[in-house]
Amino acid sequence: MRAVLLRETGGPEQLQLAEVPDPEPGDGEVIVRVRAAGINFADVLVRQGRYPQPPELPTVPGSEVAGEVDGRRVMALPRGGGYAEAIAVDEQLVVPLPDGASFEEGAGFLLTFLTAWIPLTRQVRVGPGSVVLVHAGSGGVGSAAIQVAKQLGTRVLATASTEEKRGVALEQGADEAFGYDEFAEKVRADVVLDPVGGEVFTQSFGVLNPLGTVVAIGFAGGWWEPLDPAPLVGRNLGLQGFYLGRLMRHDPQIVRDAIGELLELWSSGAVKPLVGASFPLEQAGQAHELIESRRHVGKVVLVP
């Protein structure tokens, strides 16, 4: 079968289409015929050699797919190997794709919405009257977080780098959208959901109301700056971190419960994944380039 192989870290050109052996299912596994594979920023970091826990090379990237198992339309969260025509997946990590949803949407749903839903329902307290600031509001996680926060009854603010992307955040349900150069002065929030990191992460503590919390979920804009806890104590602020991969390994029941809740929301039409672009497998490098250049909106997917 065909798959995208990463033999060594580096630029997007390191992602090469190759013939690899067909997958063989182990105990408790099923073969998913992949119809779409989601690209996550973690995949970009793996390819660049910047991921904190990198896989051994060569490897097939990709940890989110949608496809078919014995005629059933499904979504799945494999532990790598998703950029391929087929993959063996733990049957417990395979869930139904809602009726009427496309495979591309399925490949852009689980990781983004879980990364928003679990922190906003398990790690912080939000509801009517709360203000949630979502950084990178036009991206995959950001667009999911806006929709989730609105469903929880909050007022949602967002940041994005361009007027066009701020427009996308507003279309997803944000009440207001700001540039990164202005949010620190104009926003006050109870919760900040931050996939950006770097200076944006540090500035986010300045916008928090008393008892507010920053939830750090990524560092697409740079590694987190060192943080002195003294101002947090003095201002009654909090910091939470969220890493879905580790939670799946150590407490999978929380993830399964959250998936069930999210499927109900999607099936009812309350939320919907935003797919911004799709590429064939052989153009995986171009898809990564789009993400690295910060020109994409929503989720970018590969279609075998």
Side-chain angles (χ1 to χ4, degrees), residues 26-70:
D27 291 341
E29 291 185 330
V30 294
I31 299 297
V32 177
R33 296 296 170 184
V34 178
R35 303 305 183 200
I39 299 177
N40 294 285
F41 194 71
D43 303 340
V44 176
L45 294 173
V46 167
R47 195 210 75 229
Q48 294 172 336
R50 297 172 54 210
Y51 195 69
Q53 298 173 317
E56 292 185 8
L57 300 181
T59 187
V60 175
S63 53
E64 186 173 21
V65 300
E68 296 170 308
V69 175
D70 298 327

Side-chain angles (χ1 to χ4, degrees), residues 21-295:
D22 290 343
E24 294 288 341
D27 291 341
E29 291 185 330
V30 294
I31 299 297
V32 177
R33 296 296 170 184
V34 178
R35 303 305 183 200
I39 299 177
N40 294 285
F41 194 71
D43 303 340
V44 176
L45 294 173
V46 167
R47 195 210 75 229
Q48 294 172 336
R50 297 172 54 210
Y51 195 69
Q53 298 173 317
E56 292 185 8
L57 300 181
T59 187
V60 175
S63 53
E64 186 173 21
V65 300
E68 296 170 308
V69 175
D70 298 327
R72 294 179 289 128
R73 289 163 25 96
V74 301
M75 303 176 288
L77 293 172
R79 297 182 178 91
Y83 294 11
E85 292 179 322
I87 185 172
V89 182
D90 185 336
E91 191 164 15
Q92 293 187 342
L93 300 176
V94 176
V95 297
L97 180 65
D99 293 339
S102 69
F103 288 119
E104 290 87 347
E105 289 173 329
F109 180 73
L110 287 173
L111 283 176
T112 52
F113 276 86
L114 286 168
T115 299
W117 181 254
I118 294 176
L120 290 175
T121 58
R122 270 80 168 174
Q123 290 182 294
V124 297
R125 293 178 297 174
V126 299
S130 301
V131 179
V132 175
L133 171 62
V134 177
H135 287 312
S138 66
V141 171
S143 60
I146 290 171
Q147 295 180 56
V148 163
K150 290 300 288 186
Q151 287 300 310
L152 296 172
T154 75
R155 176 173 172 78
V156 184
L157 312 177
T159 57
S161 59
T162 67
E163 193 67 37
E164 178 186 1
K165 289 186 174 184
R166 291 190 285 275
V168 171
L170 293 171
E171 290 171 359
Q172 297 303 300
D175 295 287
E176 294 185 80
F178 302 90
Y180 292 111
D181 59 346
E182 59 180 348
F183 84 90
E185 294 183 359
K186 295 186 176 182
V187 170
R188 289 296 175 268
D190 301 298
V191 172
V192 178
L193 203 65
D194 176 35
V196 177
E199 185 179 357
V200 169
F201 166 76
T202 304
Q203 289 179 318
S204 296
F205 289 94
V207 311
L208 288 176
N209 293 322
L211 304 182
T213 303
V214 171
V215 183
I217 59 176
F219 55 97
W223 193 255
W224 299 285
E225 296 182 352
L227 185 66
D228 180 357
L232 303 187
V233 175
R235 295 183 53 219
N236 297 291
L237 305 181
L239 168 64
Q240 289 274 1
F242 182 74
Y243 173 31
L244 180 62
R246 186 174 181 87
L247 185 63
M248 287 173 60
R249 290 194 298 272
H250 291 274
D251 202 336
Q253 189 58 50
I254 291 178
V255 179
R256 286 194 289 267
D257 291 345
I259 289 174
E261 295 158 5
L262 285 168
L263 285 176
E264 287 187 16
L265 285 175
W266 191 6
S267 296
S268 71
V271 300
K272 181 180 175 67
L274 173 63
V275 177
S278 61
F279 292 80
L281 275 183
E282 57 266 26
Q283 293 181 11
Q286 289 95 313
H288 273 228
E289 285 178 349
L290 180 67
I291 294 173
E292 283 186 90
S293 67
R294 304 294 195 268
R295 291 181 290 114

